[in-house]
Amino acid sequence: MAIKKVVLNFPPRLIQEPVTYHLVRDYNLQVNIMRALVRPREKGRMVLELTGAKTDLDRAFEYLDQVGVQVDALVQELRYNPESCVHCTACTAFCPTGALSVDPDTRKIVFDASQCILCESCIPACSYQAIECQF
Ligand code: SF4
Ligand code: SF4
């Protein structure tokens, strides 16, 4: 058995397709959806842990490539450094999931890693290098 953590990026035309169902039924994979963001008519992004035989994983990646789903290896985690943050809130405007938000009581930034889909949109928004990818 092999385990792969990957990020799937769906173009709009594939958002309604039962891709994860095919991964389970046709390629005998166990699929653990770690995080997901789907915007109808725009795009979809899913962070998955896939478990299965190496040959099945290879066939599944071929299938994803053929249907047009971009697969990226999940090699990074996002790190928020509160010591560097000046709580300007600029990053929150770029965060599609609410993983970065403003605490209404303290007016300070809160990072909820469980909602982060690792899209990296917030990194260029921060002028203080308070957010970085960890490899
Ligand atoms: S990478 Fe940044 S912008 Fe993207 S979901 Fe995570 S916290 Fe939000
Ligand atoms: S953009 Fe950077 S400094 Fe500003 S609130 Fe976000 S993490 Fe903090």
Side-chain angles (χ1 to χ4, degrees):
M1 284 290 195
I3 298 175
K4 293 271 188 190
K5 288 183 180 175
V6 293
V7 181
L8 304 189
N9 294 283
F10 296 81
R13 68 182 169 81
L14 289 177
I15 282 177
Q16 302 299 330
E17 292 294 315
V19 169
T20 52
Y21 168 74
H22 284 297
L23 294 177
V24 173
R25 190 195 66 177
D26 302 338
Y27 301 96
N28 310 310
L29 300 182
Q30 293 173 33
V31 177
N32 176 19
I33 300 176
M34 300 163 70
R35 295 162 202 168
L37 173 73
V38 176
R39 287 191 169 146
R41 294 187 294 280
E42 281 187 45
K43 61 182 178 181
R45 187 173 165 93
M46 261 187 207
V47 181
L48 300 180
E49 183 180 78
L50 302 173
T51 305
K54 183 170 183 318
T55 50
D56 287 331
L57 282 164
D58 290 343
R59 289 193 312 119
F61 291 138
E62 276 176 28
Y63 153 72
L64 292 168
D65 185 49
Q66 281 167 6
V67 296
V69 176
Q70 182 190 329
V71 182
D72 297 323
L74 180 65
V75 292
Q76 76 265 42
E77 290 292 338
L78 199 80
R79 177 175 289 181
Y80 165 63
N81 300 312
E83 306 81 29
S84 304
C85 178
V86 299
H87 304 281
C88 68
T89 77
C91 55
T92 60
F94 294 88
C95 182
T97 65
L100 287 162
S101 63
V102 181
D103 184 309
D105 297 325
T106 64
R107 308 305 301 165
K108 294 197 168 178
I109 289 291
V110 178
F111 175 55
D112 180 355
S114 70
Q115 292 197 54
C116 176
I117 57 167
L118 302 170
C119 68
E120 303 177 35
S121 302
C122 55
I123 293 174
C126 180
S127 306
Y128 300 90
Q129 288 77 50
I131 310 170
E132 55 188 9
C133 275
Q134 295 290 302
F135 289 87

PDB file of all heavy atoms in Angstrom, residues 90-116:
ATOM      1  N   ALA A  90      -4.647  42.793   5.579  1.00  0.00           N
ATOM      2  CA  ALA A  90      -4.606  42.732   4.111  1.00  0.00           C
ATOM      3  C   ALA A  90      -4.819  41.309   3.601  1.00  0.00           C
ATOM      4  O   ALA A  90      -5.481  41.088   2.586  1.00  0.00           O
ATOM      5  CB  ALA A  90      -3.267  43.270   3.619  1.00  0.00           C
ATOM      6  N   CYS A  91      -4.267  40.332   4.298  1.00  0.00           N
ATOM      7  CA  CYS A  91      -4.336  38.952   3.830  1.00  0.00           C
ATOM      8  C   CYS A  91      -5.763  38.405   3.808  1.00  0.00           C
ATOM      9  O   CYS A  91      -6.090  37.546   2.990  1.00  0.00           O
ATOM     10  CB  CYS A  91      -3.459  38.066   4.697  1.00  0.00           C
ATOM     11  SG  CYS A  91      -3.859  38.197   6.458  1.00  0.00           S
ATOM     12  N   THR A  92      -6.599  38.889   4.695  1.00  0.00           N
ATOM     13  CA  THR A  92      -7.950  38.307   4.802  1.00  0.00           C
ATOM     14  C   THR A  92      -8.762  38.523   3.524  1.00  0.00           C
ATOM     15  O   THR A  92      -9.619  37.719   3.198  1.00  0.00           O
ATOM     16  CB  THR A  92      -8.725  38.893   5.999  1.00  0.00           C
ATOM     17  OG1 THR A  92      -8.847  40.299   5.822  1.00  0.00           O
ATOM     18  CG2 THR A  92      -8.010  38.609   7.302  1.00  0.00           C
ATOM     19  N   ALA A  93      -8.449  39.581   2.790  1.00  0.00           N
ATOM     20  CA  ALA A  93      -9.192  39.852   1.558  1.00  0.00           C
ATOM     21  C   ALA A  93      -8.880  38.827   0.480  1.00  0.00           C
ATOM     22  O   ALA A  93      -9.657  38.662  -0.467  1.00  0.00           O
ATOM     23  CB  ALA A  93      -8.850  41.251   1.053  1.00  0.00           C
ATOM     24  N   PHE A  94      -7.763  38.133   0.627  1.00  0.00           N
ATOM     25  CA  PHE A  94      -7.343  37.171  -0.405  1.00  0.00           C
ATOM     26  C   PHE A  94      -7.624  35.730   0.005  1.00  0.00           C
ATOM     27  O   PHE A  94      -7.399  34.824  -0.777  1.00  0.00           O
ATOM     28  CB  PHE A  94      -5.845  37.347  -0.683  1.00  0.00           C
ATOM     29  CG  PHE A  94      -5.518  38.667  -1.289  1.00  0.00           C
ATOM     30  CD1 PHE A  94      -5.265  39.772  -0.489  1.00  0.00           C
ATOM     31  CD2 PHE A  94      -5.506  38.821  -2.667  1.00  0.00           C
ATOM     32  CE1 PHE A  94      -4.978  40.999  -1.050  1.00  0.00           C
ATOM     33  CE2 PHE A  94      -5.224  40.051  -3.240  1.00  0.00           C
ATOM     34  CZ  PHE A  94      -4.960  41.149  -2.420  1.00  0.00           C
ATOM     35  N   CYS A  95      -8.063  35.526   1.221  1.00  0.00           N
ATOM     36  CA  CYS A  95      -8.273  34.162   1.710  1.00  0.00           C
ATOM     37  C   CYS A  95      -9.693  33.699   1.358  1.00  0.00           C
ATOM     38  O   CYS A  95     -10.675  34.244   1.860  1.00  0.00           O
ATOM     39  CB  CYS A  95      -8.068  34.115   3.227  1.00  0.00           C
ATOM     40  SG  CYS A  95      -8.266  32.452   3.882  1.00  0.00           S
ATOM     41  N   PRO A  96      -9.807  32.675   0.492  1.00  0.00           N
ATOM     42  CA  PRO A  96     -11.139  32.284   0.016  1.00  0.00           C
ATOM     43  C   PRO A  96     -11.939  31.458   1.009  1.00  0.00           C
ATOM     44  O   PRO A  96     -13.128  31.242   0.812  1.00  0.00           O
ATOM     45  CB  PRO A  96     -10.819  31.472  -1.241  1.00  0.00           C
ATOM     46  CG  PRO A  96      -9.481  30.882  -0.976  1.00  0.00           C
ATOM     47  CD  PRO A  96      -8.739  31.898  -0.147  1.00  0.00           C
ATOM     48  N   THR A  97     -11.313  30.973   2.060  1.00  0.00           N
ATOM     49  CA  THR A  97     -12.013  30.048   2.949  1.00  0.00           C
ATOM     50  C   THR A  97     -12.308  30.612   4.339  1.00  0.00           C
ATOM     51  O   THR A  97     -12.997  29.968   5.114  1.00  0.00           O
ATOM     52  CB  THR A  97     -11.168  28.777   3.153  1.00  0.00           C
ATOM     53  OG1 THR A  97      -9.961  29.156   3.838  1.00  0.00           O
ATOM     54  CG2 THR A  97     -10.832  28.112   1.833  1.00  0.00           C
ATOM     55  N   GLY A  98     -11.733  31.758   4.652  1.00  0.00           N
ATOM     56  CA  GLY A  98     -11.878  32.267   6.008  1.00  0.00           C
ATOM     57  C   GLY A  98     -10.867  31.698   6.971  1.00  0.00           C
ATOM     58  O   GLY A  98     -10.986  31.869   8.192  1.00  0.00           O
ATOM     59  N   ALA A  99      -9.849  31.015   6.445  1.00  0.00           N
ATOM     60  CA  ALA A  99      -8.796  30.491   7.326  1.00  0.00           C
ATOM     61  C   ALA A  99      -8.058  31.620   8.032  1.00  0.00           C
ATOM     62  O   ALA A  99      -7.596  31.471   9.156  1.00  0.00           O
ATOM     63  CB  ALA A  99      -7.819  29.626   6.521  1.00  0.00           C
ATOM     64  N   LEU A 100      -7.929  32.742   7.342  1.00  0.00           N
ATOM     65  CA  LEU A 100      -7.392  33.958   7.960  1.00  0.00           C
ATOM     66  C   LEU A 100      -8.563  34.898   8.202  1.00  0.00           C
ATOM     67  O   LEU A 100      -9.285  35.262   7.262  1.00  0.00           O
ATOM     68  CB  LEU A 100      -6.366  34.629   7.037  1.00  0.00           C
ATOM     69  CG  LEU A 100      -5.020  33.925   6.920  1.00  0.00           C
ATOM     70  CD1 LEU A 100      -4.272  34.401   5.683  1.00  0.00           C
ATOM     71  CD2 LEU A 100      -4.182  34.149   8.173  1.00  0.00           C
ATOM     72  N   SER A 101      -8.763  35.265   9.431  1.00  0.00           N
ATOM     73  CA  SER A 101      -9.899  36.132   9.749  1.00  0.00           C
ATOM     74  C   SER A 101      -9.501  37.089  10.874  1.00  0.00           C
ATOM     75  O   SER A 101      -8.433  36.961  11.463  1.00  0.00           O
ATOM     76  CB  SER A 101     -11.122  35.303  10.171  1.00  0.00           C
ATOM     77  OG  SER A 101     -10.826  34.580  11.352  1.00  0.00           O
ATOM     78  N   VAL A 102     -10.386  38.024  11.145  1.00  0.00           N
ATOM     79  CA  VAL A 102     -10.122  39.009  12.192  1.00  0.00           C
ATOM     80  C   VAL A 102     -11.008  38.685  13.389  1.00  0.00           C
ATOM     81  O   VAL A 102     -12.231  38.544  13.258  1.00  0.00           O
ATOM     82  CB  VAL A 102     -10.442  40.434  11.695  1.00  0.00           C
ATOM     83  CG1 VAL A 102     -10.137  41.449  12.787  1.00  0.00           C
ATOM     84  CG2 VAL A 102      -9.637  40.747  10.438  1.00  0.00           C
ATOM     85  N   ASP A 103     -10.381  38.542  14.538  1.00  0.00           N
ATOM     86  CA  ASP A 103     -11.157  38.337  15.766  1.00  0.00           C
ATOM     87  C   ASP A 103     -11.925  39.621  16.059  1.00  0.00           C
ATOM     88  O   ASP A 103     -11.319  40.692  16.208  1.00  0.00           O
ATOM     89  CB  ASP A 103     -10.202  38.007  16.910  1.00  0.00           C
ATOM     90  CG  ASP A 103     -10.949  37.693  18.202  1.00  0.00           C
ATOM     91  OD1 ASP A 103     -11.808  38.509  18.597  1.00  0.00           O
ATOM     92  OD2 ASP A 103     -10.664  36.662  18.812  1.00  0.00           O
ATOM     93  N   PRO A 104     -13.255  39.549  16.134  1.00  0.00           N
ATOM     94  CA  PRO A 104     -14.041  40.779  16.310  1.00  0.00           C
ATOM     95  C   PRO A 104     -13.791  41.475  17.645  1.00  0.00           C
ATOM     96  O   PRO A 104     -14.005  42.676  17.766  1.00  0.00           O
ATOM     97  CB  PRO A 104     -15.493  40.304  16.200  1.00  0.00           C
ATOM     98  CG  PRO A 104     -15.447  38.835  16.448  1.00  0.00           C
ATOM     99  CD  PRO A 104     -14.098  38.364  16.024  1.00  0.00           C
ATOM    100  N   ASP A 105     -13.309  40.738  18.631  1.00  0.00           N
ATOM    101  CA  ASP A 105     -13.069  41.351  19.944  1.00  0.00           C
ATOM    102  C   ASP A 105     -11.703  42.019  20.023  1.00  0.00           C
ATOM    103  O   ASP A 105     -11.580  43.143  20.487  1.00  0.00           O
ATOM    104  CB  ASP A 105     -13.194  40.285  21.050  1.00  0.00           C
ATOM    105  CG  ASP A 105     -14.594  39.721  21.112  1.00  0.00           C
ATOM    106  OD1 ASP A 105     -15.547  40.490  20.872  1.00  0.00           O
ATOM    107  OD2 ASP A 105     -14.734  38.513  21.374  1.00  0.00           O
ATOM    108  N   THR A 106     -10.678  41.294  19.555  1.00  0.00           N
ATOM    109  CA  THR A 106      -9.311  41.822  19.684  1.00  0.00           C
ATOM    110  C   THR A 106      -8.857  42.597  18.463  1.00  0.00           C
ATOM    111  O   THR A 106      -7.862  43.309  18.520  1.00  0.00           O
ATOM    112  CB  THR A 106      -8.319  40.663  19.911  1.00  0.00           C
ATOM    113  OG1 THR A 106      -8.324  39.835  18.731  1.00  0.00           O
ATOM    114  CG2 THR A 106      -8.720  39.822  21.114  1.00  0.00           C
ATOM    115  N   ARG A 107      -9.572  42.419  17.310  1.00  0.00           N
ATOM    116  CA  ARG A 107      -9.179  43.001  16.023  1.00  0.00           C
ATOM    117  C   ARG A 107      -7.846  42.446  15.547  1.00  0.00           C
ATOM    118  O   ARG A 107      -7.145  43.082  14.755  1.00  0.00           O
ATOM    119  CB  ARG A 107      -9.128  44.541  16.065  1.00  0.00           C
ATOM    120  CG  ARG A 107     -10.375  45.219  16.587  1.00  0.00           C
ATOM    121  CD  ARG A 107     -11.618  44.821  15.836  1.00  0.00           C
ATOM    122  NE  ARG A 107     -11.555  45.115  14.420  1.00  0.00           N
ATOM    123  CZ  ARG A 107     -12.396  44.601  13.519  1.00  0.00           C
ATOM    124  NH1 ARG A 107     -13.356  43.784  13.894  1.00  0.00           N
ATOM    125  NH2 ARG A 107     -12.268  44.910  12.253  1.00  0.00           N
ATOM    126  N   LYS A 108      -7.501  41.280  16.043  1.00  0.00           N
ATOM    127  CA  LYS A 108      -6.252  40.653  15.613  1.00  0.00           C
ATOM    128  C   LYS A 108      -6.549  39.488  14.676  1.00  0.00           C
ATOM    129  O   LYS A 108      -7.637  38.916  14.691  1.00  0.00           O
ATOM    130  CB  LYS A 108      -5.455  40.180  16.830  1.00  0.00           C
ATOM    131  CG  LYS A 108      -4.981  41.355  17.675  1.00  0.00           C
ATOM    132  CD  LYS A 108      -3.885  40.962  18.618  1.00  0.00           C
ATOM    133  CE  LYS A 108      -3.269  42.221  19.215  1.00  0.00           C
ATOM    134  NZ  LYS A 108      -2.233  41.962  20.166  1.00  0.00           N
ATOM    135  N   ILE A 109      -5.522  39.155  13.904  1.00  0.00           N
ATOM    136  CA  ILE A 109      -5.661  38.076  12.935  1.00  0.00           C
ATOM    137  C   ILE A 109      -5.668  36.720  13.638  1.00  0.00           C
ATOM    138  O   ILE A 109      -4.887  36.487  14.570  1.00  0.00           O
ATOM    139  CB  ILE A 109      -4.493  38.122  11.921  1.00  0.00           C
ATOM    140  CG1 ILE A 109      -4.658  39.321  10.992  1.00  0.00           C
ATOM    141  CG2 ILE A 109      -4.368  36.833  11.120  1.00  0.00           C
ATOM    142  CD1 ILE A 109      -5.809  39.217  10.036  1.00  0.00           C
ATOM    143  N   VAL A 110      -6.550  35.855  13.144  1.00  0.00           N
ATOM    144  CA  VAL A 110      -6.603  34.477  13.633  1.00  0.00           C
ATOM    145  C   VAL A 110      -6.401  33.566  12.433  1.00  0.00           C
ATOM    146  O   VAL A 110      -7.020  33.774  11.382  1.00  0.00           O
ATOM    147  CB  VAL A 110      -7.982  34.171  14.278  1.00  0.00           C
ATOM    148  CG1 VAL A 110      -8.028  32.725  14.740  1.00  0.00           C
ATOM    149  CG2 VAL A 110      -8.259  35.126  15.409  1.00  0.00           C
ATOM    150  N   PHE A 111      -5.530  32.585  12.587  1.00  0.00           N
ATOM    151  CA  PHE A 111      -5.304  31.614  11.508  1.00  0.00           C
ATOM    152  C   PHE A 111      -5.849  30.260  11.940  1.00  0.00           C
ATOM    153  O   PHE A 111      -5.428  29.710  12.952  1.00  0.00           O
ATOM    154  CB  PHE A 111      -3.810  31.513  11.182  1.00  0.00           C
ATOM    155  CG  PHE A 111      -3.504  30.442  10.173  1.00  0.00           C
ATOM    156  CD1 PHE A 111      -4.136  30.423   8.935  1.00  0.00           C
ATOM    157  CD2 PHE A 111      -2.589  29.435  10.458  1.00  0.00           C
ATOM    158  CE1 PHE A 111      -3.868  29.435   8.001  1.00  0.00           C
ATOM    159  CE2 PHE A 111      -2.312  28.438   9.524  1.00  0.00           C
ATOM    160  CZ  PHE A 111      -2.954  28.449   8.298  1.00  0.00           C
ATOM    161  N   ASP A 112      -6.784  29.722  11.145  1.00  0.00           N
ATOM    162  CA  ASP A 112      -7.369  28.411  11.403  1.00  0.00           C
ATOM    163  C   ASP A 112      -6.856  27.448  10.333  1.00  0.00           C
ATOM    164  O   ASP A 112      -7.364  27.417   9.207  1.00  0.00           O
ATOM    165  CB  ASP A 112      -8.901  28.511  11.357  1.00  0.00           C
ATOM    166  CG  ASP A 112      -9.569  27.167  11.609  1.00  0.00           C
ATOM    167  OD1 ASP A 112      -8.852  26.142  11.715  1.00  0.00           O
ATOM    168  OD2 ASP A 112     -10.805  27.136  11.682  1.00  0.00           O
ATOM    169  N   ALA A 113      -5.825  26.686  10.692  1.00  0.00           N
ATOM    170  CA  ALA A 113      -5.179  25.801   9.715  1.00  0.00           C
ATOM    171  C   ALA A 113      -6.152  24.765   9.153  1.00  0.00           C
ATOM    172  O   ALA A 113      -5.981  24.294   8.027  1.00  0.00           O
ATOM    173  CB  ALA A 113      -3.987  25.101  10.360  1.00  0.00           C
ATOM    174  N   SER A 114      -7.178  24.407   9.914  1.00  0.00           N
ATOM    175  CA  SER A 114      -8.102  23.373   9.442  1.00  0.00           C
ATOM    176  C   SER A 114      -8.933  23.856   8.251  1.00  0.00           C
ATOM    177  O   SER A 114      -9.519  23.058   7.533  1.00  0.00           O
ATOM    178  CB  SER A 114      -9.028  22.936  10.569  1.00  0.00           C
ATOM    179  OG  SER A 114      -9.937  23.966  10.896  1.00  0.00           O
ATOM    180  N   GLN A 115      -8.984  25.169   8.044  1.00  0.00           N
ATOM    181  CA  GLN A 115      -9.742  25.704   6.898  1.00  0.00           C
ATOM    182  C   GLN A 115      -8.845  26.079   5.723  1.00  0.00           C
ATOM    183  O   GLN A 115      -9.331  26.476   4.668  1.00  0.00           O
ATOM    184  CB  GLN A 115     -10.527  26.940   7.325  1.00  0.00           C
ATOM    185  CG  GLN A 115     -11.640  26.634   8.297  1.00  0.00           C
ATOM    186  CD  GLN A 115     -12.618  27.790   8.368  1.00  0.00           C
ATOM    187  OE1 GLN A 115     -13.135  28.234   7.361  1.00  0.00           O
ATOM    188  NE2 GLN A 115     -12.837  28.290   9.561  1.00  0.00           N
ATOM    189  N   CYS A 116      -7.558  25.979   5.907  1.00  0.00           N
ATOM    190  CA  CYS A 116      -6.621  26.418   4.868  1.00  0.00           C
ATOM    191  C   CYS A 116      -6.527  25.369   3.770  1.00  0.00           C
ATOM    192  O   CYS A 116      -6.289  24.191   4.051  1.00  0.00           O
ATOM    193  CB  CYS A 116      -5.253  26.671   5.485  1.00  0.00           C
ATOM    194  SG  CYS A 116      -3.994  27.094   4.272  1.00  0.00           S
TER     195      CYS A 116
END
